[in-house]
Amino acid sequence: MTLETKSPAAVVNNVLAKYERDASMLVGILQDIQVEMNYLPKECLVMVSEGLDIPLTRVYSVATFFKAFSLKPRGRHSVQCCMGTACHVRGAEKVLDKLQTEMCLCAGETSADMKFTLETVNCVGACALGPVVVVDGEYVGQVTTDKVKSILESCK
Amino acid sequence: MAVQTTKQGRLNSAAELETLRQEIKSATGENPRLITICCGTGCLAYGGAKLAQAFRDEIETRGLQDKVGVKTTGCHGFCERGPLVVIRPENILYQRVKPEDVGDVISDTIEQGKVVERLLYTLPGTKERVTYEHDVPFYKKQMRLVFGANGYIDPTLIEDYIGVGGYTAMVKALFSMTPDEVVSEVKRSGLRGRGGGGFSAGAKWESTREAHGGLKYLICNCDEGDPGAFMDRSLMEGNPFGILEGMVIAAYAIGCHEGYIYIRHEYPVAVKHAEMAIAKAEAMGLLGDNILGSGFSFKIKINRGGGAFVCGESTALMASVEGRIGEPRAKYIHTSEKGLWDRPTVLNNVETLANVPLIINRGAQWYSSIGTANSKGTKIFSLVGKVNNTGLIEVPMGITLREIIYDIGGGILKNKKFKAVQTGGPSGGCLPAEMLDLAVDFDELSRAGSMMGSGAMIVMDEDNCMVDIARYFVSFLEGESCGKCVPCREGLKRMNQILERITNGNGRDGDIELLEDLSETLTWGALCGLGGGAANPVMSTIRYFRDEYEAHIKEKRCPAGVCKPLITYNIVEANCPGCNLCIKACPVNAITSPGKKMPVILDQSKCTKCGACYDVCRLNAVEVR
């Protein structure tokens, strides 16, 4: 996922065409743009507002309301710590503490070298395996604090 | 061995579907030898995909393709023991199978008909092994009507679903029943919404059917933001065609031609399988224009959620489908009259719709014979937390909590003491040990101060602090509140402050009463279910665990040893052999060794209470006080 090679205009135009400029599909449109761009750059939001002919405030309100969207660039590797109830009762908070210490990041932050983004998520639906950490889409179950280091090292 | 009928193309009548079904059945034979490998999220995390590949490779190497088939299926439910492999038709269950076991399974079981003992499930506390899936205690008390097909079909093959009897209910509804008959059948079955509200599905359909306005909509809710629940995910991932069939029947009943599936973006596999299922069903004439030549048309679009818990609430969900922020509205006018784009709309949860084909196939009378007086059928629960056998279970309504937790769940992890079970997610409540004999259904749970919700069942043991759990839910909901109405926006913030204060050791006299007051305001004053139910975890923990609140406030003590400011970690000298494992684990060098093989020393002034020492020590030499 290299940000430099993708032109925001091309990405936005492609996505808008796929959804036939249907403003009711705004959430899906922003999701697809985010998949391509890794986050939602301001210029893309402006283009979406113009392309769908809806106020920029509405695009912003949707982009900031839903947790799935990020208005800041994200790292190459995404580390998500599940904070659902099943994970919580089995010690997710300790795992998050350890992740934060090891990565020198607070939840929601991206490392300065753009390698990692650490996020918390409210249940990824793998409750039987709690505590769960999702690294680049791969689920790691029954995480304990002493496993955290090797999980991070697996990100090359 | 998989039957491929992609050449078949569009089916134009019920008879053509039946012919295809017979072809599929005869191609697979009466008792096909089949290795099914669970590739639900849990088993995938344990390496299910690699295992399936290993089986395919081994079968190819030995040239056994004609003797045995390999099928990757959706979730089998017994996530704790994944990856799961079931050999059909005998249903031999192998658990925690690794790629290196594949050779033995093929040579012993497939070629020689012998069982590989070491891969069988062993009854805890004994050395007795269980060979068959249906004999394992986890499955024994279940009634897998909705969920059972998951273990037999590859969710990406429509032929598999047709082979196990799929679409017979749709044919029955479209060709031999009027929409009114379908509605009344579902009404008589007593099916209640499985998403949380527990409203009669048939009554909902009826009011939408009778509502004025030309266009009507059907939405299948697969948002499942409920932390701790994942049955909708497993159904959508494991049997998407079953959900589509339920949706077509519902659409026919209410007279609607456009539908949506609203899926969480956190469930990428569910999105993928639903997209694929829609495309395949449309190509075969089982969805879309003029379904099976019946004259009835129904189209489905997928909408992805954006990760907002409040969008599980019907009006917020509809706002989100319309491309707006997910703010709910007061429901003075029901969504069955004015829902999506102000048109009459039925919103059903995935599990509700998955029940519909069963009811049409086997009749309302059969369905209503299962369950309790006012809660019919089965319910899928996600049994998770501090219980031995975690996973998804489908049980008849009316089963007791004790049967679920001890018989199916195999009791509490590490033989600890059961403390509470939290049911119904953030709007539900925590039930104590005295309630273990409660018969689980919609009404009994509400009476006990909890609720069915989507069916999350989180078991907690003596190491869980109930004040911390209340704080957890309130802080979760504070973060998820859309902020539209004052009771929810301000009330949750205030409740969170109070609970934080208590767990920090700064609780004051009167805090419990203040929490009760705020809870009441929220229950009656909030606009939607998120705020209205938010008080339940607080109220139920105060009701059943008041002594724990008082210990925090009056004695500044956390009995469960969870709330950091109220606990200290200590070294039990008698148990410490000086192995120094904890010294390596401690991130702040708070532990030192006075000499070889001597008990370590913990410096309380440096300790950050991260618990790393406690986690690494296997000799009980670190204790929490």
Side-chain angles (χ1 to χ4, degrees), chain B residues 289-358:
Chain B
D289 289 325
N290 193 14
I291 296 171
L292 288 179
S294 65
F296 177 71
S297 302
F298 180 59
K299 286 199 170 133
I300 298 176
K301 273 191 195 171
I302 290 178
N303 238 292
R304 278 171 296 163
F309 177 70
V310 68
C311 288
E313 203 278 336
S314 60
T315 54
L317 189 154
M318 287 173 200
S320 165
V321 173
E322 291 171 11
R324 296 184 286 121
I325 61 170
E327 268 183 358
R329 63 161 175 82
K331 287 191 266 190
Y332 306 118
I333 306 170
H334 289 297
T335 51
S336 51
E337 284 163 35
K338 272 190 171 199
L340 193 61
W341 287 297
D342 283 343
R343 307 272 187 188
T345 305
V346 162
L347 181 106
N348 281 149
N349 160 271
V350 172
E351 195 188 336
T352 316
L353 289 162
N355 270 284
V356 169
L358 278 175

Side-chain angles (χ1 to χ4, degrees), chain B residues 11-31:
Chain B
L11 301 167
N12 293 309
S13 67
E16 282 183 30
L17 173 67
E18 210 39 52
T19 315
L20 174 63
R21 194 191 318 280
Q22 293 315 319
E23 274 173 32
I24 292 168
K25 278 189 174 166
S26 61
T28 43
E30 272 301 293
N31 281 318

Side-chain angles (χ1 to χ4, degrees), chain A residues 10-53:
Chain A
V11 168
V12 172
N13 283 332
N14 274 342
V15 173
L16 289 182
K18 179 181 156 196
Y19 287 95
E20 297 168 348
R21 293 181 189 265
D22 179 357
S24 75
M25 300 305 282
L26 182 58
V27 180
I29 289 171
L30 294 180
Q31 258 159 352
D32 282 9
I33 294 173
Q34 182 164 288
V35 169
E36 295 289 327
M37 304 298 298
N38 200 15
Y39 76 111
L40 292 175
K42 184 179 173 185
E43 52 186 321
C44 288
L45 298 181
V46 174
M47 282 184 257
V48 168
S49 134
E50 284 165 0
L52 297 177
D53 199 17

Side-chain angles (χ1 to χ4, degrees), chain B residues 426-471:
Chain B
S427 306
C430 296
L431 303 175
E434 301 91 85
M435 310 291 281
L436 273 174
D437 290 308
L438 186 87
V440 179
D441 74 4
F442 285 101
D443 310 318
E444 287 295 318
L445 282 175
S446 327
R447 225 166 281 147
S450 186
M451 67 185 280
M452 181 75 84
S454 59
M457 216 170 242
I458 295 134
V459 179
M460 297 174 219
D461 68 8
E462 54 195 294
D463 292 342
N464 289 117
C465 167
M466 301 317 287
V467 188
D468 171 69
I469 294 296
R471 184 202 55 81

Side-chain angles (χ1 to χ4, degrees), chain A residues 19 22-28 31-32 58 61-62 65-69 83-86 88-90 93-94 97-98 101 121-129 139-142 145-146, chain B residues 42 45-46 79 227-230 233 264-267 304-308 311 320-323 325-326 341 384-387 390 458 464 468-469 471-473 476 479-480 482 564 610 615:
Chain A
Y19 287 95
D22 179 357
S24 75
M25 300 305 282
L26 182 58
V27 180
Q31 258 159 352
D32 282 9
R58 193 177 140 196
S61 71
V62 169
F65 181 85
F66 291 103
K67 293 236 165 67
F69 300 125
M83 304 305 280
T85 323
H88 178 81
V89 302
R90 283 196 184 181
E93 234 147 75
K94 273 186 183 174
D97 274 352
K98 184 76 178 172
T101 321
V121 52
N122 290 329
C123 193
V124 293
C127 312
L129 309 178
Y139 289 73
V140 189
Q142 295 178 340
T145 45
D146 47 334
Chain B
Y46 289 129
C79 310
F230 59 112
R233 166 183 209 154
R264 289 186 80 183
H265 84 109
E266 284 95 339
Y267 292 177
R304 278 171 296 163
C311 288
S320 165
V321 173
E322 291 171 11
I325 61 170
W341 287 297
V384 293
K386 302 279 187 66
V387 68
T390 55
I458 295 134
N464 289 117
D468 171 69
I469 294 296
R471 184 202 55 81
Y472 165 80
F473 280 114
F476 169 85
E480 293 293 339
C482 76
K564 264 191 195 177
C610 70
D615 288 342

Side-chain angles (χ1 to χ4, degrees), chain B residues 270-542:
Chain B
V271 175
K272 198 173 109 195
H273 285 185
E275 275 171 353
M276 179 220 59
I278 290 172
K280 286 201 174 176
E282 272 187 0
M284 287 183 76
L286 296 160
L287 188 69
D289 289 325
N290 193 14
I291 296 171
L292 288 179
S294 65
F296 177 71
S297 302
F298 180 59
K299 286 199 170 133
I300 298 176
K301 273 191 195 171
I302 290 178
N303 238 292
R304 278 171 296 163
F309 177 70
V310 68
C311 288
E313 203 278 336
S314 60
T315 54
L317 189 154
M318 287 173 200
S320 165
V321 173
E322 291 171 11
R324 296 184 286 121
I325 61 170
E327 268 183 358
R329 63 161 175 82
K331 287 191 266 190
Y332 306 118
I333 306 170
H334 289 297
T335 51
S336 51
E337 284 163 35
K338 272 190 171 199
L340 193 61
W341 287 297
D342 283 343
R343 307 272 187 188
T345 305
V346 162
L347 181 106
N348 281 149
N349 160 271
V350 172
E351 195 188 336
T352 316
L353 289 162
N355 270 284
V356 169
L358 278 175
I359 295 167
I360 299 300
N361 264 334
R362 300 171 77 166
Q365 202 169 1
W366 165 81
Y367 191 83
S368 60
S369 70
I370 305 161
T372 60
N374 290 314
S375 302
K376 300 297 184 189
T378 59
K379 173 79 191 100
I380 306 177
F381 290 104
S382 70
L383 183 60
V384 293
K386 302 279 187 66
V387 68
N388 277 314
N389 303 332
T390 55
L392 286 180
I393 59 164
E394 184 179 352
V395 287
M397 299 270 194
I399 191 168
T400 65
L401 284 170
R402 191 183 299 279
E403 283 174 287
I404 292 179
I405 294 166
Y406 286 91
D407 299 347
I408 299 175
I412 310 301
L413 268 183
K414 295 177 188 160
N415 283 325
K416 296 250 177 176
K417 220 172 115 204
F418 170 86
K419 186 181 235 175
V421 56
Q422 208 277 343
T423 71
S427 306
C430 296
L431 303 175
E434 301 91 85
M435 310 291 281
L436 273 174
D437 290 308
L438 186 87
V440 179
D441 74 4
F442 285 101
D443 310 318
E444 287 295 318
L445 282 175
S446 327
R447 225 166 281 147
S450 186
M451 67 185 280
M452 181 75 84
S454 59
M457 216 170 242
I458 295 134
V459 179
M460 297 174 219
D461 68 8
E462 54 195 294
D463 292 342
N464 289 117
C465 167
M466 301 317 287
V467 188
D468 171 69
I469 294 296
R471 184 202 55 81
Y472 165 80
F473 280 114
V474 170
S475 95
F476 169 85
L477 290 167
E478 188 197 351
E480 293 293 339
S481 169
C482 76
K484 188 177 179 183
C485 72
V486 180
C488 184
R489 185 178 64 232
E490 298 295 327
L492 283 169
K493 192 183 166 87
R494 189 83 187 100
M495 281 168 94
N496 195 15
Q497 283 170 347
I498 298 168
L499 286 163
E500 288 233 331
R501 187 164 80 202
I502 297 176
T503 52
N504 281 336
N506 300 319
R508 307 172 197 152
D509 276 342
D511 273 354
I512 298 179
E513 291 72 19
L514 196 52
L515 282 172
E516 285 171 333
D517 269 2
L518 283 163
S519 294
E520 200 175 332
T521 310
L522 263 174
T523 307
W524 297 108
L527 198 58
C528 80
L530 186 148
N536 277 348
V538 180
M539 293 298 283
S540 65
T541 46
I542 293 178

